[in-house]
């Protein structure tokens, strides 16, 4: 390791070990008297080392089930048949959408608990947790009743389930409805662990849960091809996961064992935060999926395929900001009540690392969009979908960066601002989407999506600057870097020959390294990089 003496290395390791031991001791300390430990007692929850480690945990936790799904799905299609597998995908989708019945309370609990820990009011956390869990139980029961009532209509009319599968699909949906209280309360328990930055524990459960969602049905196939036992196995897995989350929460916060309590005063902030989160959770998916329906109605189903496939490719990049901001959201909440300068520092680093990670990946997608689609799906698909892929890739770059200010605004307790922004965006986006799709086809739809996320990002960056009092020069520098990156993508999309693409990419990546080193990285970060090398 160049530039580091043995004594320096030993001293550095000694310091790091002392910090880690102190953080671990503070994190594991039990306070049976429920006396606030003070904000400094949770200062380690925003340490760079902890946040970096938790981000890696999230990346692995999100990627592992995807790899298992790629292996299991062909086997499930072969074993269950196309119709039963189609019904199983609906079950997976309903399990995901069941979280809407929590009305954002899982996210609200994470934010409120992180804020309490940051302000040294951890004695209020047990009451907050039990109130939210009891509230989620009531909402879960309401959701179960709604699904139970709607199930016969869904199975017999809306979903066009084949007659031979009608009965088993009906019973499977009933079983799924009963599990809704378990599914949504698990999100709240996970939120408590995330507020304590225990992402190692949450991913230790998320990974087997994600794997079991695909591998569990395979265990049933040797004994039955019916959908009902498959769903029963999935529901049993969810119940076991709920119990495991509860046990870990009791271990991380032993004060939860003392008594189950309902506090009416805690309901209002939970519902207020969660209600605005629910608005965003409903409106945002609409803006994500409406383009396909508009394309299908104005153009054709074939055009939907040419558009949706590139879209599915670029949305895989969401795993990067999703893994990072899942960790940073509670860190923003905790640090905001402790030291806003620390929040601004974490926010700046988040934007910086997202930009440095995503730029070379998006650049390759834009440059080789046509060649990649042609190699993967053929010349006709590349002809129709290459330009769409390029537009969407640029929009995805901007959208991924916007996750950082979004997490800041929500993390400091203002989800109402993001919800109002989404409600304003929706009608304007629909008008632009209809007009551009009608005028320019699927490329127009991709342009409308990219324009929407660009405007969304500008507003969110402005809101984050307002809350964190980011210096004007820093804000302008960030916007110029993003604009420069987008301009680079436009240039990369122009050449057709491999020789010109190769030369341009070499020059662009060289310029990227120089800009990143001298303009983006701080002197401390450059020094650390030199020591590591």
């Amino acid at each position: 390791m160049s530039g580091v003496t043995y004594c320096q290395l030993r001293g550095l390791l000694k310091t790091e070990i002392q910090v880690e031991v102190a953080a671990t001791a503070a994190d594991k300390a039990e306070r049976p008297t429920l006396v606030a430990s003070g904000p400094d007692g949770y200062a380690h929850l925003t340490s760079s080392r902890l946040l970096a480690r938790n981000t890696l945990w999230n990346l692995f936790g999100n990627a592992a089930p995807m790899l298992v799904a790629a292996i299991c799905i062909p086997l499930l299609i072969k074993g269950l048949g196309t119709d039963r597998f189609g019904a199983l995908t609906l079950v997976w989708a309903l399990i995901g959408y069941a979280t809407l019945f929590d009305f954002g309370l899982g996210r609200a609990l994470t934010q409120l608990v992180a804020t309490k820990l940051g302000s040294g009011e951890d004695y209020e956390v047990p009451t907050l947790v039990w109130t939210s869990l009891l509230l989620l139980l009531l909402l879960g029961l309401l959701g179960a009743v709604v699904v139970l009532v709607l199930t016969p209509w869904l199975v017999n009319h809306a979903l066009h389930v084949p007659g031979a599968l009608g009965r088993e699909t009906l019973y499977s949906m009933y079983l799924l409805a009963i599990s809704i209280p378990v599914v949504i309360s698990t999100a709240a328990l996970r939120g408590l662990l995330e507020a304590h930055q225990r992402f190692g524990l949450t991913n230790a459960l998320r990974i087997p849960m994600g794997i079991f969602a695909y591998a569990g049905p395979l265990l049933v196939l040797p004994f039955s091809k019916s959908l009902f036992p498959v769903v029963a196995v999935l529901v049993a897995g969810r119940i076991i996961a709920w119990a495991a989350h509860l046990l870990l929460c009791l271990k991380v916060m032993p004060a939860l064992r003392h008594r189950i309590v309902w506090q009416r005063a805690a309901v209002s902030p939970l519902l207020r935060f969660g209600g605005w989160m629910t608005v965003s959770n409903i409106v945002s998916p609409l803006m994500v999926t409406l383009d396909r329906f508009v394309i299908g109605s104005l153009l054709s189903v074939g055009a939907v395929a040419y558009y949706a496939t590139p879209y599915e490719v670029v949305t895989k990049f969401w795993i990067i900001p999703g893994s990072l901001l899942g960790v940073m959201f509670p860190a923003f909440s905790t640090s905001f009540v402790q030291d806003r300068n620390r929040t601004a520092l974490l926010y700046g680093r988040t934007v910086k690392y997202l930009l440095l990670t995503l730029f070379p990946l998006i650049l390759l997608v834009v440059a080789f969009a046509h060649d990649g689609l042609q190699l993967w799906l053929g010349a006709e698909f590349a002809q129709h979908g290459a330009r769409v892929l390029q537009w969407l890739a640029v929009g995805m770059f901007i959208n991924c960066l916007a996750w950082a200010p979004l997490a800041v605004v929500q993390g400091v307790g203002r989800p109402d601002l993001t919800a109002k922004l989404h409600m304003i965006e929706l009608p304007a986006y629909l008008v632009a989407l209809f007009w551009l799709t009608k005028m320019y086809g699927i490329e127009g739809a991709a342009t409308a999506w990219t324009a929407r996320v660009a405007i969304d990002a500008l507003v969110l960056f402005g809101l984050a600057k307002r809350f964190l009092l980011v210096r004007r020069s820093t804000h302008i520098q960030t916007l110029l870097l993003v604009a420069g990156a987008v301009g680079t993508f436009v240039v990369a999309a122009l050449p057709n020959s491999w020789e010109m693409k190769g030369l341009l990419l070499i020059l662009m990546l060289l310029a990227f390294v120089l800009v990143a080193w001298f303009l983006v990285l701080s002197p401390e970060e450059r020094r650390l990089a030199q020591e590591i090398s």
Side-chain angles (χ1 to χ4, degrees):
M1 187 176 293
S2 61
V4 181
T5 65
Y6 170 76
C7 293
Q8 289 173 326
L9 179 61
R10 186 176 63 178
L12 179 63
L13 289 175
K14 182 178 180 181
T15 302
E16 290 177 351
I17 291 172
Q18 290 173 344
V19 171
E20 190 72 13
V21 169
T24 304
D27 192 37
K28 290 184 177 180
E30 296 184 4
R31 289 172 294 279
T33 57
L34 299 182
V35 176
S37 61
D40 293 339
Y42 291 98
H44 69 283
L45 294 181
T46 64
S47 71
S48 300
R49 179 184 301 276
L50 179 65
L51 299 177
R53 183 170 67 243
N54 287 342
T55 300
L56 293 177
W57 267 115
N58 271 1
L59 277 170
F60 183 67
N62 287 326
M66 293 172 58
L67 297 176
V68 174
I71 298 172
C72 292
I73 285 176
L75 299 175
L76 288 172
I77 294 174
K78 182 179 179 181
L80 291 174
T82 304
D83 289 339
R84 277 194 177 86
F85 179 77
L88 179 60
T89 60
L90 292 176
V91 170
W92 284 332
L94 286 172
I95 289 176
Y97 281 113
T99 56
L100 287 176
F101 287 107
D102 81 342
F103 291 95
L105 292 183
R107 196 71 160 170
L109 183 63
T110 302
Q111 193 273 337
L112 292 172
V113 170
T115 300
K116 295 296 184 184
L117 296 181
S119 59
E121 300 173 350
D122 52 325
Y123 56 88
E124 295 184 7
V125 171
T127 299
L128 195 62
V129 172
W130 282 119
T131 301
S132 65
L133 286 175
L134 292 172
L135 192 57
L136 282 169
L137 175 62
L138 296 175
L139 293 172
L141 292 174
L142 174 63
V145 171
V146 171
V147 175
L148 286 171
V149 171
L150 292 178
T151 289
W153 174 78
L154 286 171
V155 173
N156 297 322
H157 299 91
L159 300 178
H160 303 290
V161 176
L165 295 178
R167 181 177 290 272
E168 61 185 87
T169 304
L170 185 69
Y171 290 153
S172 298
M173 297 282 281
Y174 284 149
L175 183 60
L176 187 65
I178 297 172
S179 71
I180 287 177
V182 172
V183 171
I184 66 173
S185 58
T186 301
L189 295 172
R190 183 167 57 249
L192 175 62
L193 295 173
E194 290 178 352
H196 284 82
Q197 288 293 333
R198 292 303 191 93
F199 286 87
L201 295 179
T202 59
N203 282 284
L205 295 177
R206 177 190 294 174
I207 293 170
M209 280 175 60
I211 293 174
F212 187 76
Y214 298 99
L218 288 178
L219 301 176
V220 178
L221 292 184
F223 308 100
S224 174
K225 306 293 184 183
S226 173
L227 190 63
F228 183 79
V230 169
V231 174
V233 167
L234 292 176
V235 170
R238 288 280 171 170
I239 294 173
I240 294 172
W242 176 87
H245 276 89
L246 179 60
L247 290 175
L248 289 178
C249 287
L250 294 175
K251 180 180 179 181
V252 169
M253 179 159 276
L256 290 175
R257 302 173 183 268
H258 287 204
R259 61 194 180 104
I260 299 175
V261 63
W262 168 273
Q263 187 179 60
R264 183 180 299 178
V267 174
S268 178
L270 283 167
L271 288 179
R272 184 166 56 250
F273 189 102
W276 286 116
M277 287 296 301
T278 301
V279 172
S280 290
N281 291 340
I282 292 174
V283 176
S284 291
L286 281 176
M287 291 190 286
V288 168
T289 57
L290 276 176
D291 45 10
R292 305 181 193 189
F293 292 98
V294 171
I295 292 170
S297 62
L298 294 180
L299 303 177
S300 66
V301 176
V304 175
Y306 290 131
Y307 179 89
T309 302
Y311 189 90
E312 291 299 322
V313 171
V314 298
T315 52
K316 296 299 181 286
F317 285 108
W318 274 334
I319 191 176
I320 297 174
S323 300
L324 176 58
L325 272 307
V327 174
M328 298 310 301
F329 174 75
F332 290 150
S333 299
T334 300
S335 62
F336 190 72
V337 295
Q338 291 179 333
D339 180 5
R340 295 192 182 187
N341 290 327
R342 176 66 177 170
T343 311
L345 177 65
L346 293 175
Y347 166 67
R349 287 178 176 174
T350 301
V351 175
K352 180 190 305 183
Y353 297 151
L354 282 174
L355 191 149
L356 294 178
T357 303
L358 289 164
F359 176 83
L361 299 176
I362 298 295
L363 180 64
L364 292 175
V365 172
V366 171
F368 296 107
H370 187 278
D371 305 283
L373 285 176
Q374 183 172 348
L375 182 64
W376 182 30
L377 299 171
E380 183 179 356
F381 217 105
Q383 180 182 355
H384 290 91
R387 192 64 69 186
V388 171
L389 178 57
Q390 290 172 331
W391 271 109
L392 292 177
V394 173
M396 184 56 58
F397 174 77
I398 299 171
N399 183 248
C400 287
L401 295 180
W403 282 46
L406 176 71
V408 166
V409 175
Q410 294 180 345
V412 302
R414 294 301 306 271
D416 58 308
L417 295 178
T418 58
K420 292 171 184 175
L421 173 61
H422 291 149
M423 287 190 292
I424 294 171
E425 284 180 7
L426 180 59
Y429 172 59
L430 277 176
V431 172
L433 179 62
F434 268 96
W435 182 71
L436 288 172
T437 303
K438 193 171 183 178
M439 293 291 293
Y440 304 104
I442 57 176
E443 291 183 20
T447 305
W449 189 85
T450 300
R452 180 190 69 80
V453 298
I455 295 172
D456 182 84
L458 279 174
V459 176
L460 289 172
F461 275 109
L463 289 174
K465 174 180 178 294
R466 171 185 152 194
F467 281 114
L468 301 182
L469 302 177
V470 178
R471 289 184 300 176
R472 180 179 176 83
S473 59
T474 303
H475 182 66
I476 292 176
Q477 183 188 38
T478 301
L479 296 180
L480 287 176
L481 285 172
V482 175
V486 172
T488 305
F489 297 147
V490 173
V491 175
L494 297 178
N496 292 320
S497 66
W498 278 84
E499 295 80 6
M500 185 61 69
K501 283 181 183 178
L503 178 61
L504 268 178
L505 280 177
I506 292 173
L507 294 175
M508 288 174 177
L509 290 175
L510 178 61
F512 165 70
V513 171
L514 294 175
V515 170
W517 184 259
F518 290 106
L519 295 180
V520 179
L521 294 177
S522 66
E524 293 79 11
E525 290 166 332
R526 291 198 294 269
R527 185 165 54 251
L528 178 61
Q530 289 174 327
E531 291 176 354
I532 293 175
S533 63

